[in-house]
Amino acid sequence: MEALIPVINKLQDVFNTVGADIIQLPQIVVVGTQSSGKSSVLESLVGKDLLPRGTGIVTRRPLILQLVHIDSEDCRKTSEENESKTKGRLSRGINGEEWGKFLHTKNKTYTDFEEIRQEIDAETERISGNNKGVSDEPIHLKIFSPHVVNLTLVDLPGLTKVPVGDQPKDIELQIKELIYKYISNPNSIILAVTAANTDMATSEALKVAREADPDGRRTLAVVTKLDLMDAGTDAMDVLMGRVIPVKLGIIGVVNRSQLDINQKKMVTDAIRDEYGFLQKKYPSLANRNGTKYLARTLNRLLMHHIRDCLPELKTRINVLAAQYQSLLNSYGEPVDDKSSTLLQLITKFAAEYCHTIEGTAKYIETTELCGGARICYIFHETFGRTLESVDPLGGLTTIDVLTAIRNATGPRPALFVPEVSFELLVKRQVKRLEEPSLRCVELVHEEMQRIIQHCSNYSTQELLRFPKLHDAIVEVVTSLLRKRLPVTNEMVHNLVAIELAYINTKHPDFADACGLMNNNIEEQRRNRMRDLPSAVPRDKAAAGGSQSGSEQTDGATGTWRGMLKKGEDGAAADRAMLQHPLPASPQRGHAVNLLDVPVPVSRRLSAREQRDCEVIERLIKSYFLIVRKNIQDSVPKAVMHFLVNHVKDCLQSELVGQLYKAGLLDDLLTESEDMAQRRTEAADMLKALQKASQVIAEIRETHLW
């Protein structure tokens, strides 16, 4: 199982090559306040002085430190290679046993750890500047040594409260966000570092660790500076977990003092002195504390953690590989035959456009109606309901009807209800159907325009590679739709004009309505006859009733009943004249203005006028419903023929005729500027994921998992 950590290092190397952190690999994240001894702990694990030192905030970028254990043969082999490459520049102080490599310096090997420290300083200032600010871009360093155990550690900036110097005012928030970014990784182990000469209950490191890991199943505490505690005190209760229990344990270590660092005290000597201090001060706990025990514990915890995380990692890698394969396919291969490619793209777009209208597209919308389904909704829901909401007598009052009847009779009193008044009024009502019909055309045209964008976004992703071709296709289809819009509008206008051109009173449905109306009038006549007084002779009543019926239908008034009615109207008019006499006769030489005679604006209709208006209104309503039914049926058919089907039939030929030209090939098939870069990045990421999948497969074959 020891080989699991190098496997994770391989995976880390794989993803470092593409500069991606999409896979959360198992690693140990070191968290603590400034000057808590984090850097000293890391240097003790490495066995070398390699981290920058100073006052205040020194670590300002995450340092991902991979420790790789190598045997002596690898050390000698690498030493010989380095000697031949550097021509004697190899640092003899380390005998070629240990070296380091940075990711950002590619294959450059550092055998002098002082150079490693300087490179960390230079790289930190290159990104973070020299104003003590922090950055979340990590520095990747790999250390090869026979004196280390396999580990992957992340050194983070120390927690602070107050900005110092020219640090940003929100430096505390920046550092916390950076720390949470790493410790929130469920595959990480949190190494919470706290100084022994501080109160464990106020440890900021344990506080942030508990926020990210409330169960404590991946938190290990390290207590530093055991030798700096006040006289008469010890850390026995803390190390035993009696103050604050930590599931993975609490390990105490002794760091080098600043004086030791200034005097160049070797880490190996410090580890030897640490062992002596623990044996003297904490003899019962000496074998469970110290730097060496910490290294072994971290190695063991990381191995078990990696074993638990590998199944999820394998699944995650396979899912990402499938996603990037699909993404790479959408970017397409570099174009070799431009003529063939252009024709294929045009044909595919035209086919997808037609399939979207027919409802057979590969990508079906689930959030809203689209294409042919929306056109159907416009025809039968939007347009149909709009027509049904149009009142047959809307905007038409009884006075309007009566005025039309009178205007149609001319200067002579009418014996019949004039047919011209019916035609005049019914045309006025039918004309109201034109506006919703034209609006129906507009809505379908808008949906046909939306289908273009739908096909571009979902159906033909290859068009995104060629923005000029995409724009040209949109322009051609838009132009075709624009040309068909006035033709379709004209046809719909003609459909309404046809209905207005000839009022067919012999229409079967209209004749049935008239017959039903006559039956109703006859029934009303019989009811009036039953209500007449018994003194009126039945034959007279019949004649009068018949005449009344004929007035309703034929408008005849040449009977005694009509004359009597006229006499009654005349007497009433005389009485009105007496009450409102005409102006006095004008003097000689003055003209008479007939318009001075007052005309009543509103009055109560006579029985005959009321019956005439009711007849006309019923006829208008009956005929309007017939025409509305015709329009509701014929407008969708006209729109489908002149707009939808025409565009479907002519789309591909129009695209080929406008775009498939030798002079346009190079321009239309010019890829977007970032498409080639995105294709390369996707290919590199796919290659990295495939390599990572192979690494995990090797683990299963060797029964390490």
Side-chain angles (χ1 to χ4, degrees):
M1 195 165 64
E2 178 70 23
L4 285 177
I5 296 179
V7 168
I8 293 299
N9 290 339
K10 286 183 180 180
L11 293 178
Q12 186 70 59
D13 294 341
V14 167
F15 293 114
N16 286 344
T17 58
V18 292
D21 55 355
I22 58 174
I23 296 292
Q24 294 179 318
L25 296 174
Q27 55 193 6
I28 300 171
V29 182
V30 184
V31 180
T33 58
Q34 288 185 19
S35 303
S36 62
K38 295 189 292 77
S39 297
S40 295
V41 171
L42 291 177
E43 288 182 338
S44 298
L45 294 174
V46 177
K48 294 293 178 182
D49 292 327
L50 78 161
L51 298 177
R53 294 280 183 171
T55 58
I57 183 169
V58 178
T59 304
R60 295 187 288 130
R61 288 178 59 185
L63 175 65
I64 298 179
L65 180 63
Q66 292 177 260
L67 304 183
V68 182
H69 177 80
I70 55 175
D71 56 27
S72 301
E73 293 182 0
D74 291 336
C75 291
R76 287 193 297 271
K77 180 179 179 182
T78 307
S79 176
E80 293 173 358
E81 292 176 353
N82 286 339
E83 286 186 19
S84 62
K85 290 180 181 179
T86 59
K87 298 181 179 179
R89 290 173 53 212
L90 180 65
S91 174
R92 295 297 177 185
I94 56 174
N95 297 322
E97 290 184 345
E98 301 163 297
W99 67 92
K101 287 184 177 181
F102 287 97
L103 177 64
H104 63 272
T105 58
K106 305 302 179 186
N107 295 324
K108 183 178 180 179
T109 301
Y110 294 83
T111 54
D112 186 351
F113 281 80
E114 182 62 30
E115 290 184 11
I116 292 178
R117 186 205 307 270
Q118 294 172 359
E119 181 60 30
I120 293 175
D121 272 332
E123 181 64 12
T124 298
E125 291 192 2
R126 185 179 70 84
I127 299 297
S128 302
N130 54 9
N131 66 338
K132 299 299 182 180
V134 297
S135 170
D136 63 350
E137 185 174 339
I139 299 174
H140 293 267
L141 172 62
K142 186 180 291 188
I143 300 296
F144 300 85
S145 171
H147 308 299
V148 299
V149 294
N150 291 309
L151 288 175
T152 300
L153 302 150
V154 181
D155 187 21
L156 296 173
L159 290 161
T160 185
K161 291 291 185 181
V162 181
V164 179
D166 56 353
Q167 284 183 340
K169 293 183 179 180
D170 62 341
I171 186 68
E172 178 186 5
L173 180 60
Q174 289 186 25
I175 293 176
K176 280 190 174 181
E177 288 180 349
L178 178 59
I179 291 174
Y180 285 132
K181 175 182 176 181
Y182 281 88
I183 65 176
S184 60
N185 172 12
N187 295 333
S188 66
I189 295 176
I190 304 173
L191 189 64
V193 179
T194 303
N197 55 0
T198 61
D199 190 352
M200 193 75 170
T202 62
S203 172
E204 286 290 330
L206 287 176
K207 178 184 176 182
V208 297
R210 184 166 295 178
E211 291 175 358
D213 179 31
D215 298 333
R217 64 178 186 84
R218 53 187 183 91
T219 300
L220 174 68
V222 174
V223 179
T224 62
K225 303 180 182 181
L226 291 176
D227 56 332
L228 298 182
M229 297 187 68
D230 293 339
T233 62
D234 60 34
M236 185 67 71
D237 289 340
V238 172
L239 296 177
M240 294 292 291
R242 296 169 184 164
V243 178
I244 295 181
V246 180
K247 283 189 178 181
L248 295 185
I250 302 175
I251 299 176
V253 297
V254 177
N255 305 119
R256 291 179 299 167
S257 66
Q258 188 61 45
L259 179 62
D260 294 336
I261 295 172
N262 294 339
Q263 293 178 350
K264 306 295 183 181
K265 183 177 181 178
M266 300 293 292
V267 175
T268 52
D269 296 337
I271 292 176
R272 185 180 63 251
D273 293 344
E274 175 193 53
Y275 178 75
F277 174 84
L278 291 173
Q279 288 289 346
K280 178 181 178 181
K281 192 72 175 179
Y282 304 96
S284 61
L285 302 178
N287 62 339
R288 296 200 302 273
N289 289 276
T291 301
K292 289 187 177 180
Y293 180 77
L294 174 62
R296 293 194 302 269
T297 301
L298 290 176
N299 179 264
R300 174 178 53 82
L301 289 176
L302 187 58
M303 283 191 299
H304 287 285
H305 199 61
I306 291 171
R307 182 192 60 189
D308 296 338
C309 295
L310 274 179
E312 183 181 349
L313 279 177
K314 179 177 181 295
T315 302
R316 173 70 174 160
I317 288 173
N318 291 339
V319 170
L320 285 174
Q323 292 176 351
Y324 273 92
Q325 182 66 63
S326 177
L327 181 63
L328 188 61
N329 293 340
S330 70
Y331 292 153
E333 297 294 331
V335 178
D336 296 326
D337 188 351
K338 292 187 176 182
S339 177
S340 175
T341 301
L342 178 59
L343 188 58
Q344 289 176 3
L345 290 175
I346 289 175
T347 302
K348 184 172 183 180
F349 179 88
E352 290 294 339
Y353 191 92
C354 296
H355 291 161
T356 303
I357 294 176
E358 295 165 358
T360 58
K362 181 179 179 181
Y363 297 90
I364 300 296
E365 275 284 358
T366 58
T367 57
E368 62 177 352
L369 292 178
C370 178
R374 190 173 184 86
I375 293 174
C376 179
Y377 182 86
I378 292 171
F379 286 156
H380 302 290
E381 298 293 333
T382 306
F383 178 59
R385 290 181 180 178
T386 302
L387 288 186
E388 290 173 1
S389 67
V390 178
D391 184 7
L393 300 176
L396 196 63
T397 65
T398 304
I399 297 300
D400 294 336
V401 176
L402 182 60
T403 302
I405 294 174
R406 286 185 171 183
N407 287 338
T409 60
R412 294 173 297 279
L415 298 177
F416 309 98
V417 177
E419 187 174 349
V420 176
S421 61
F422 163 72
E423 290 197 9
L424 177 66
L425 294 172
V426 81
K427 286 182 179 180
R428 171 180 165 182
Q429 298 306 103
V430 169
K431 183 70 175 175
R432 299 169 60 215
L433 298 176
E434 183 174 10
E435 182 179 352
S437 300
L438 294 176
R439 178 58 181 160
C440 175
V441 178
E442 184 180 351
L443 290 176
V444 174
H445 177 268
E446 290 175 359
E447 179 57 27
M448 298 283 283
Q449 193 74 32
R450 286 180 68 245
I451 295 175
I452 303 175
Q453 193 63 34
H454 172 82
C455 293
S456 301
N457 292 340
Y458 300 100
S459 303
T460 53
Q461 293 249 340
E462 294 91 339
L463 285 178
L464 299 179
R465 295 177 57 192
F466 311 109
K468 291 185 177 180
L469 175 59
H470 174 267
D471 294 343
I473 288 178
V474 171
E475 178 61 30
V476 171
V477 181
T478 302
S479 177
L480 179 59
L481 290 171
R482 193 185 304 119
K483 287 189 294 186
R484 298 306 302 174
L485 183 59
V487 177
T488 310
N489 281 336
E490 181 66 21
M491 183 59 200
V492 171
H493 174 77
N494 287 338
L495 289 176
V496 179
I498 289 170
E499 296 291 346
L500 296 173
Y502 180 66
I503 305 300
N504 183 17
T505 57
K506 291 296 185 180
H507 193 283
D509 295 339
F510 187 69
D512 294 342
C514 291
L516 181 61
M517 199 179 311
N518 290 334
N519 293 336
N520 292 337
I521 293 173
E522 182 64 21
E523 182 66 25
Q524 293 174 5
R525 186 187 66 80
R526 294 194 185 100
N527 292 337
R528 284 198 301 271
M529 291 179 63
R530 284 195 299 267
D531 295 339
L532 286 174
S534 57
V536 179
R538 224 3 109 175
D539 57 342
K540 300 290 187 181
S546 176
Q547 184 61 30
S548 298
S550 64
E551 287 179 2
Q552 180 67 20
T553 57
D554 298 331
T557 58
T559 64
W560 64 269
R561 190 176 183 84
M563 295 173 63
L564 178 62
K565 183 64 177 173
K566 289 181 180 179
E568 294 174 355
D569 292 344
D574 292 340
R575 289 193 296 271
M577 289 290 290
L578 291 174
Q579 295 175 4
H580 303 283
L582 292 173
S585 300
Q587 299 178 0
R588 184 173 298 177
H590 290 79
V592 178
N593 186 0
L594 297 179
L595 297 180
D596 289 341
V597 179
V599 178
V601 178
S602 61
R603 61 180 176 80
R604 184 175 181 181
L605 301 182
S606 65
R608 177 184 172 180
E609 289 173 338
Q610 190 170 357
R611 287 195 301 272
D612 290 347
C613 290
E614 290 178 358
V615 169
I616 292 296
E617 288 175 356
R618 291 179 182 178
L619 293 176
I620 290 173
K621 184 174 182 179
S622 175
Y623 195 82
F624 180 87
L625 295 178
I626 294 171
V627 175
R628 186 173 72 181
K629 184 178 179 181
N630 294 341
I631 294 295
Q632 191 170 353
D633 178 66
S634 59
V635 167
K637 293 179 178 178
V639 174
M640 286 299 298
H641 177 72
F642 287 92
L643 181 60
V644 180
N645 290 342
H646 187 278
V647 171
K648 283 173 51 182
D649 296 339
C650 301
L651 180 59
Q652 181 166 353
S653 60
E654 188 77 12
L655 288 171
V656 172
Q658 295 287 338
L659 303 179
Y660 191 63
K661 299 177 181 178
L664 298 176
L665 286 177
D666 294 335
D667 185 52
L668 293 178
L669 294 182
T670 301
E671 284 189 323
S672 59
E673 296 179 357
D674 60 337
M675 182 57 67
Q677 180 181 354
R678 283 189 288 174
R679 186 190 298 112
T680 302
E681 291 175 353
D684 292 342
M685 180 58 69
L686 180 62
K687 189 181 299 183
L689 290 168
Q690 291 172 343
K691 187 179 294 185
S693 182
Q694 292 175 358
V695 171
I696 293 180
E698 292 173 0
I699 299 176
R700 297 182 67 89
E701 292 176 0
T702 54
H703 305 287
L704 293 175
W705 177 5

